[in-house]
Amino acid sequence: MNYTATEMMTVAAARAIRNDDVCFVGIGMPSAACNLARLTHAPDVTLIYESGTIGTKPDVLPLSIGDGELCDTAVTTVAVPEMFRYWLQGGRISVGFLGAAQLDKFGNLNTTVVGGDYNNPKVRLPGGGGAPEIATSCGEIFIVMKQSSRGFVDNIDFMTSLGHGKTGTEREALGIKTRGPSRLTTDLCIMETDPESKEFIVTSIHPGVTRKQIAENTGWAIRFADQVVETPAPNDTELAALRALNERTARAHAGQ
Amino acid sequence: MNYTATEMMTVAAARAIRNDDVCFVGIGMPSAACNLARLTHAPDVTLIYESGTIGTKPDVLPLSIGDGELCDTAVTTVAVPEMFRYWLQGGRISVGFLGAAQLDKFGNLNTTVVGGDYNNPKVRLPGGGGAPEIATSCGEIFIVMKQSSRGFVDNIDFMTSLGHGKTGTEREALGIKTRGPSRLTTDLCIMETDPESKEFIVTSIHPGVTRKQIAENTGWAIRFADQVVETPAPNDTELAALRALNERTARAHAGQ
Amino acid sequence: MTLFVSLKEAIAANVFDGDVVALEGFTHLIPYAAGHEIIRQQRKDLTLIRMTPDLIYDQLIGMGCVKKMIFSWGGNPGVGSLRRFRDAYEKSWPHKLEIEEHSHAAMANAYEAGAAGLPCAVFRGYLGAGLAEVNPNIRFIECPFTGERLASVPSIRPDVTVIHAQKANRKGDVLIEGIVGVQKEAVLAAKRAIVTVEEIVDNFDDVHPNACVLPNWTLKAVVQVPGGAHPSYAKGYYERDNAFYKAWDPIASEREGFQAWMQENVLNAGPEVFASRVAFTQAQK
Amino acid sequence: MTLFVSLKEAIAANVFDGDVVALEGFTHLIPYAAGHEIIRQQRKDLTLIRMTPDLIYDQLIGMGCVKKMIFSWGGNPGVGSLRRFRDAYEKSWPHKLEIEEHSHAAMANAYEAGAAGLPCAVFRGYLGAGLAEVNPNIRFIECPFTGERLASVPSIRPDVTVIHAQKANRKGDVLIEGIVGVQKEAVLAAKRAIVTVEEIVDNFDDVHPNACVLPNWTLKAVVQVPGGAHPSYAKGYYERDNAFYKAWDPIASEREGFQAWMQENVLNAGPEVFASRVAFTQAQK
């Protein structure tokens, strides 16, 4: 089957999710990837949305974290202070998903301001929301983001949430026990965190994508692993599940 | 009608409860007094048991704070951490009830150890439970306790919960904004806290009780207010409601 | 019982110029109708608090009611940014807007600490985060047992909290179900609380004993406003009117269009219009 | 699913000599059956934690399982004192017992902080209280904003928490209803958690969305033990067997009588006896 770059990205992100993971899911691409994983190889994965729905199994992708279906299909729904205290800070989440307007090679993320400085920004973004504590409390962080040299930058304009810090050593210096960003899935490739330097390095390239394309769409000097593989194309099962999910979602939200 | 000293004490304690009070109720005498108030002059009083039942209206007196009826008749039942954080510490309780093995003239209470010292007590009592924070978080504290020179002592053996401190000035020194013990109802009399010295002084003597009896059953040099009144005897309505409550309770717990 | 009043009376008696106000709702049960009444009563110099300020805060800001906003994520969920917020913050229209920015964890903890009567919240947070360098209300303390450095923020204690809930009973106790957010904490943290509800029922006898219920004595005013959370959700009553969230972006994109929309749909309207807006949404389904 | 095991297996696999163990239940849903199994398996040197240790802790102490008890109120509710606890603490029988004593507020906050993954709890407490002078685990910190002196205690992080609940579903999620106490916090604060339940049902489809449910992945073992909270309550199943609470006082009053009772009713018995004890109680009503 033919597939789009977005489908490849979603499928590649979904594959990294394990059946016993407990995922803190954001709306958009992470929500699509996590639910695709649940509908394919990880039927028992626990999906948690920050609105308090624990173990939810929506039939369609939610419009927002307030969707009634997230609550209706959840094992339980808790208040937001409990969500952030007992479940996130309590260390119960194995994988957090984050995206950003800007990220750097250490997985530091900016969703606060672009251009200027914090008090006089060129563009004021919505802000960090749950990201600062998701970044440090989850077992590890998976980032899913369309690749572009505008978003993948050498220096982010504001440290909304800590990845591996400005030098790759900041987590240890701060006594943080969690792994931090370990995987970055884009529409071009998969990057993983180098255990030594903590930089993202390309480990898998999506079919038909060139190294040049990847380098052109990355604002930092991109590194490739010694062994780079080709990402397996989405298989029929994956594509069928993803498309059915997207179709159900489109139908449910028609006119909205 | 004839009545017992315990009935007089219960009725006198109940009368102090106002219709708009929010009471933190303990099992035993406070529970009887609060529910009697609810069944007579204070139908809208809010009764809270520390097990988390808010606005409860039991038909019979509970065996313990775990009674199902407390939950069944409550406006809502919350978890114990919430009870102590949002409701007690949050400053939502107007009246807390406390009793003790020992109390002094400043309303300091001991339910921890008697004799010896803390680490080598003669008698190890159950301990403070909720008392230390009830004593400082409720708007004011009503104490209900059978009077005896063994319990009403000059110096308590352990400061389980703070009344007005060892000199009557400790609450202010600690920055505590709540009133502390304001009223002590016994089987012989009613004492109120002197606004200046913060000592308990007798303001009302139950019918048929003498000043000598009160003095003999008090371990400290008891003081009487300039104007001491006679406590009105329990009226027919009060006695009927109390006895009916006690009968219902006895019937419900028969064989137990 | 004076608890049950009109929305106009509830706002007039409880929301004053210069107040610190939290209109909460974590994407679900957002008190839009009450927010519109605040706009109609032309309150000024408000400090608005909310974890996820969305369109209703955009509207309050654009109409000049707001001096400062304390928040953790300010956007139009699934659509983009809040254009009136950005115009105020970036270009001081209709006037300068101050902000105090936190993370969700910090705000959730600060509401919890406010409900708990504490002066501050203590949590593990802001590790390596840039906000800790630009917000003086983010400080750090040491655990007295382990020495671990923990974050602290001031507790949130609004002058008034406004929420929308599903049901009140005849005594004025209020039931919130489903995605309950931080509403209970926001109410208990506030000096005064106003609740709009979809429905008033005889009693809560069939309600689960551990459901989220606010006793009447924790509230100042309860007002029935069917549809009062439109265009957001009210679980059991209506879904989100997502088309409106999308439509808001062009409406808010320029000042005149925004003002015209507010004149027609808020200033010249009343809380009674919300029921029909919800009916409209449901009929579309 | 290996979550569902026998009570014997659950205790054998999760409770070890020297462990810090919380068997919680705030007067309601006390895990007696599980406590008896710990006694039968002769665990030693346990540190027991509970806000309201009652008869089951008296039994564990009297049988020599306990090195230390951390608590806030240790009595026989409505009856008197715990005689085996006092004999151990005052006279070192069967051996010396250490104690660490707190207030309810401190313990509730410490469980909450444990569930929240924090090293300590911070609250307004112990003002002028004697325990602050004798317990080195009560310390004070300053609010970094107001300077207010606030109490702090270490969070509770048991090796294992044991609770009794009303229902599990076939997946092993557990429902607690009514007086829920600190059980959710105690489970989430622990490294391992064991739950005994009255009943296993197909699903929780009819359960309120905000009811207190512990997802199966927060638990190590779920065991059906009907009557497992006897002589305490299980809301919806049985009331407290108050006669037993009264009867316990003479049973525990002297060492030999206590031992004989334990031999007959605990050591020579198994969890299956609990169902009949509850039936007996109900038949009496």
Side-chain angles (χ1 to χ4, degrees):
Chain A
M1 273 201 269
N2 284 324
Y3 56 89
T4 68
T6 300
E7 286 174 334
M8 179 72 254
M9 173 163 64
T10 310
V11 166
R15 286 173 185 159
I17 297 162
R18 295 143 297 210
N19 195 41
D20 62 350
D21 270 328
V22 178
C23 300
F24 208 77
V25 188
I27 294 297
M29 190 55 64
S31 182
C34 287
N35 280 291
L36 177 59
R38 184 175 60 79
L39 294 167
T40 54
H41 66 281
D44 300 322
V45 66
T46 296
L47 304 187
I48 296 182
Y49 290 74
E50 65 187 350
S51 50
T53 56
I54 296 175
T56 186
K57 299 170 191 69
D59 190 50
V60 305
L61 296 175
L63 281 168
S64 94
I65 55 172
D67 270 31
E69 198 193 0
L70 293 180
C71 176
D72 290 336
T73 63
V75 173
T76 185
T77 298
V78 302
V80 165
E82 178 179 327
M83 175 50 61
F84 281 93
R85 283 179 74 82
Y86 293 1
W87 300 88
L88 180 62
Q89 182 178 267
R92 292 191 169 74
I93 317 290
S94 61
V95 178
F97 281 86
L98 290 173
Q102 292 181 328
L103 96 166
D104 66 20
K105 67 181 175 184
F106 290 114
N108 301 303
L109 301 173
N110 173 24
T111 57
T112 305
V113 292
V114 173
D117 65 13
Y118 177 76
N119 288 306
N120 293 288
K122 218 172 116 201
V123 179
R124 173 66 232 194
L125 301 170
E133 285 75 21
I134 291 171
T136 55
S137 294
C138 296
E140 62 188 312
I141 297 296
F142 291 173
I143 301 171
V144 191
M145 218 172 131
K146 262 195 162 43
Q147 203 162 339
S148 80
S149 57
R150 231 178 115 206
F152 287 50
V153 298
D154 234 349
N155 285 295
I156 58 174
D157 291 345
F158 190 83
M159 180 75 87
T160 304
S161 59
L162 181 72
H164 294 283
K166 288 290 178 190
T167 67
T169 60
E170 279 75 0
R171 292 182 84 86
E172 205 182 330
L174 287 163
I176 300 169
K177 309 285 189 215
T178 52
R179 282 182 70 190
S182 59
R183 190 182 179 89
L184 167 56
T185 306
T186 81
D187 50 337
L188 304 179
C189 64
I190 297 167
M191 302 190 212
E192 292 177 83
T193 300
D194 182 274
E196 293 302 312
S197 71
K198 305 294 183 187
E199 288 175 54
F200 279 130
I201 57 172
V202 178
T203 55
S204 183
I205 299 179
H206 299 340
V209 175
T210 65
R211 292 193 176 208
K212 185 155 173 285
Q213 267 179 288
I214 293 172
E216 280 171 0
N217 283 287
T218 308
W220 66 79
I222 190 78
R223 285 177 51 204
F224 293 84
D226 295 341
Q227 303 276 342
V228 178
V229 299
E230 184 179 87
T231 314
N235 64 35
D236 290 356
T237 312
E238 289 165 333
L239 269 187
L242 177 57
R243 288 174 183 176
L245 175 63
N246 284 333
E247 273 163 34
R248 282 199 303 278
T249 302
R251 205 162 46 236
H253 300 158
Q256 299 238 315
Chain B
M1 274 200 269
N2 284 324
Y3 57 89
T4 68
T6 300
E7 286 173 335
M8 179 73 254
M9 172 163 65
T10 310
V11 166
R15 286 173 184 158
I17 296 162
R18 296 143 296 209
N19 195 41
D20 61 350
D21 270 328
V22 177
C23 299
F24 208 76
V25 187
I27 293 298
M29 190 55 64
S31 182
C34 286
N35 280 291
L36 178 58
R38 184 175 60 79
L39 294 167
T40 54
H41 66 281
D44 299 322
V45 66
T46 296
L47 305 188
I48 296 182
Y49 289 74
E50 65 186 351
S51 50
T53 56
I54 296 175
T56 186
K57 299 171 190 68
D59 190 50
V60 305
L61 295 175
L63 280 168
S64 94
I65 54 172
D67 269 31
E69 197 192 1
L70 294 179
C71 175
D72 290 336
T73 64
V75 173
T76 185
T77 298
V78 302
V80 165
E82 179 180 325
M83 175 51 61
F84 280 94
R85 282 180 74 82
Y86 294 0
W87 301 89
L88 180 63
Q89 181 178 266
R92 292 191 169 74
I93 317 289
S94 61
V95 178
F97 281 86
L98 291 174
Q102 293 182 328
L103 96 166
D104 67 19
K105 67 180 176 184
F106 289 114
N108 302 303
L109 300 174
N110 173 24
T111 56
T112 305
V113 292
V114 173
D117 65 14
Y118 177 75
N119 288 306
N120 294 288
K122 219 172 115 201
V123 180
R124 173 67 232 196
L125 301 169
E133 284 75 22
I134 291 171
T136 54
S137 294
C138 295
E140 61 189 313
I141 297 296
F142 292 174
I143 301 170
V144 191
M145 219 172 131
K146 263 195 164 37
Q147 204 162 340
S148 80
S149 57
R150 229 176 115 207
F152 287 49
V153 299
D154 234 350
N155 284 296
I156 58 174
D157 292 345
F158 189 83
M159 179 76 87
T160 304
S161 59
L162 181 72
H164 295 283
K166 287 290 178 191
T167 67
T169 60
E170 279 76 0
R171 292 182 84 86
E172 205 182 332
L174 287 163
I176 300 169
K177 309 284 190 218
T178 53
R179 282 181 70 191
S182 60
R183 189 182 181 88
L184 167 55
T185 306
T186 81
D187 50 339
L188 304 179
C189 65
I190 297 167
M191 302 190 211
E192 292 176 83
T193 300
D194 182 276
E196 294 301 312
S197 71
K198 305 293 184 189
E199 288 175 54
F200 278 130
I201 57 172
V202 178
T203 56
S204 183
I205 299 179
H206 299 340
V209 175
T210 65
R211 290 190 177 212
K212 184 154 173 286
Q213 268 178 288
I214 293 172
E216 280 171 0
N217 283 287
T218 309
W220 65 78
I222 188 77
R223 285 177 51 204
F224 293 85
D226 295 341
Q227 303 276 341
V228 178
V229 298
E230 183 179 89
T231 315
N235 65 35
D236 290 356
T237 313
E238 289 166 333
L239 269 187
L242 177 57
R243 288 173 182 177
L245 174 63
N246 285 333
E247 274 163 33
R248 282 199 304 277
T249 302
R251 203 161 48 236
H253 301 157
Q256 299 239 317
Chain C
M1 185 173 307
T2 54
L3 200 59
F4 291 106
V5 294
S6 71
L7 184 56
K8 193 170 175 181
E9 290 167 317
I11 299 298
N14 290 290
V15 183
F16 306 108
D17 288 353
D19 270 358
V20 176
V21 184
L23 291 93
E24 267 298 346
F26 201 70
T27 71
H28 176 222
L29 292 172
I30 299 169
Y32 275 91
H36 285 183
E37 186 59 35
I38 293 174
I39 292 170
R40 278 192 293 272
Q41 296 194 20
Q42 299 179 40
R43 288 293 175 277
K44 296 280 170 252
D45 293 324
L46 301 179
T47 293
L48 291 188
I49 305 181
R50 193 160 146 216
M51 293 182 67
T52 53
D54 72 340
L55 313 194
I56 187 64
Y57 276 32
D58 213 32
Q59 294 170 0
L60 282 151
I61 290 168
M63 293 302 281
C65 303
V66 187
K67 180 179 70 179
K68 181 178 179 178
M69 183 167 84
I70 301 175
F71 72 106
S72 42
W73 193 87
N76 182 341
V79 180
S81 59
L82 295 177
R83 294 176 178 274
R84 294 296 96 225
F85 159 58
R86 283 184 56 189
D87 200 21
Y89 184 65
E90 296 169 6
K91 295 180 186 149
S92 296
W93 191 91
H95 54 66
K96 193 168 152 28
L97 178 74
E98 300 167 48
I99 62 167
E100 178 177 334
E101 187 173 3
H102 286 282
S103 67
H104 278 354
M107 296 278 290
N109 274 283
Y111 273 119
E112 200 275 349
L118 291 174
C120 63
V122 174
F123 62 108
R124 184 180 294 112
Y126 286 130
L127 290 164
L131 280 181
E133 288 164 28
V134 297
N135 181 346
N137 269 342
I138 298 168
R139 298 184 187 172
F140 292 87
I141 64 164
E142 266 187 20
C143 168
F145 300 97
T146 63
E148 182 181 349
R149 192 165 162 268
L150 296 168
S152 182
V153 294
S155 63
I156 295 174
R157 305 299 303 262
D159 291 310
V160 55
T161 285
V162 184
I163 65 166
H164 185 76
Q166 280 103 336
K167 289 183 176 77
N169 64 21
R170 301 240 170 256
K171 292 180 178 170
D173 306 316
V174 164
L175 173 69
I176 314 172
E177 291 183 306
I179 291 172
V180 295
V182 289
Q183 281 96 309
K184 183 179 202 171
E185 286 74 17
V187 164
L188 296 180
K191 296 194 186 87
R192 302 181 295 279
I194 300 170
V195 186
T196 54
V197 296
E198 288 297 323
E199 193 178 0
I200 294 171
V201 298
D202 281 345
N203 59 59
F204 286 167
D205 289 353
D206 58 348
V207 168
H208 191 275
N210 306 122
C212 181
V213 173
L214 290 161
N216 55 15
W217 49 275
T218 63
L219 308 172
K220 290 287 185 198
V222 176
V223 188
Q224 187 179 7
V225 185
H230 177 273
S232 80
Y233 317 75
K235 182 176 161 54
Y237 295 87
Y238 43 89
E239 293 292 322
R240 166 166 150 141
D241 182 358
N242 204 49
F244 184 82
Y245 277 81
K246 288 186 195 155
W248 182 250
D249 198 54
I251 292 168
S253 68
E254 49 95 27
R255 295 168 184 173
E256 293 72 24
F258 163 74
Q259 286 175 320
W261 191 92
M262 292 301 291
Q263 186 68 46
E264 184 183 340
N265 294 283
V266 178
L267 298 181
N268 295 351
E272 67 286 351
V273 303
F274 279 82
S276 59
R277 286 175 187 165
V278 171
F280 178 69
T281 305
Q282 289 176 322
Q284 270 198 327
K285 290 218 138 190
Chain D
M1 186 172 308
T2 55
L3 200 59
F4 292 106
V5 293
S6 71
L7 184 56
K8 193 170 176 182
E9 290 167 316
I11 299 297
N14 290 291
V15 183
F16 306 107
D17 288 353
D19 269 359
V20 176
V21 184
L23 292 93
E24 267 297 346
F26 201 69
T27 71
H28 175 222
L29 291 172
I30 299 169
Y32 275 90
H36 285 183
E37 185 60 35
I38 293 174
I39 292 170
R40 278 191 293 273
Q41 297 194 21
Q42 300 180 40
R43 289 292 175 276
K44 297 280 170 251
D45 293 323
L46 302 179
T47 293
L48 291 187
I49 306 182
R50 192 158 148 216
M51 293 182 67
T52 53
D54 74 339
L55 312 195
I56 188 64
Y57 276 32
D58 213 31
Q59 294 171 359
L60 282 151
I61 291 167
M63 294 301 281
C65 304
V66 188
K67 180 179 69 178
K68 181 179 179 179
M69 183 167 85
I70 302 175
F71 73 106
S72 42
W73 192 88
N76 183 342
V79 179
S81 59
L82 296 177
R83 294 176 177 275
R84 293 296 97 224
F85 159 58
R86 283 185 56 188
D87 200 21
Y89 184 64
E90 295 169 7
K91 295 180 186 148
S92 295
W93 190 92
H95 53 66
K96 193 169 150 28
L97 178 75
E98 299 167 47
I99 62 167
E100 178 177 333
E101 187 173 2
H102 285 282
S103 66
H104 277 354
M107 296 279 289
N109 274 283
Y111 274 119
E112 199 276 347
L118 291 174
C120 62
V122 174
F123 62 107
R124 184 180 294 112
Y126 286 130
L127 291 164
L131 279 181
E133 287 164 28
V134 297
N135 180 345
N137 268 342
I138 299 170
R139 298 183 187 173
F140 292 88
I141 65 165
E142 267 188 21
C143 168
F145 300 97
T146 64
E148 182 181 349
R149 192 165 162 268
L150 296 168
S152 182
V153 294
S155 63
I156 295 174
R157 305 298 302 264
D159 291 310
V160 56
T161 285
V162 184
I163 65 166
H164 186 76
Q166 281 102 336
K167 289 183 176 76
N169 63 21
R170 300 241 170 258
K171 292 180 177 170
D173 306 315
V174 164
L175 172 70
I176 314 172
E177 292 184 304
I179 291 172
V180 295
V182 290
Q183 281 97 308
K184 183 178 201 172
E185 286 75 15
V187 164
L188 296 180
K191 296 193 186 86
R192 303 181 295 278
I194 299 170
V195 186
T196 55
V197 297
E198 288 296 323
E199 194 178 0
I200 294 171
V201 298
D202 280 345
N203 60 59
F204 287 167
D205 289 353
D206 58 348
V207 168
H208 190 275
N210 306 123
C212 181
V213 173
L214 290 162
N216 55 14
W217 50 275
T218 63
L219 308 171
K220 290 287 185 198
V222 176
V223 188
Q224 186 179 7
V225 185
H230 177 275
S232 80
Y233 316 76
K235 182 177 162 54
Y237 294 86
Y238 43 90
E239 294 290 324
R240 166 166 150 141
D241 181 359
N242 203 50
F244 184 82
Y245 276 81
K246 288 186 196 153
W248 182 251
D249 198 55
I251 292 168
S253 68
E254 50 94 26
R255 296 168 184 174
E256 293 71 24
F258 163 74
Q259 286 176 319
W261 191 93
M262 293 300 292
Q263 186 68 48
E264 183 183 341
N265 294 283
V266 177
L267 299 180
N268 295 350
E272 66 286 351
V273 302
F274 279 83
S276 60
R277 285 176 187 165
V278 170
F280 177 70
T281 305
Q282 290 177 322
Q284 270 199 326
K285 290 218 138 191

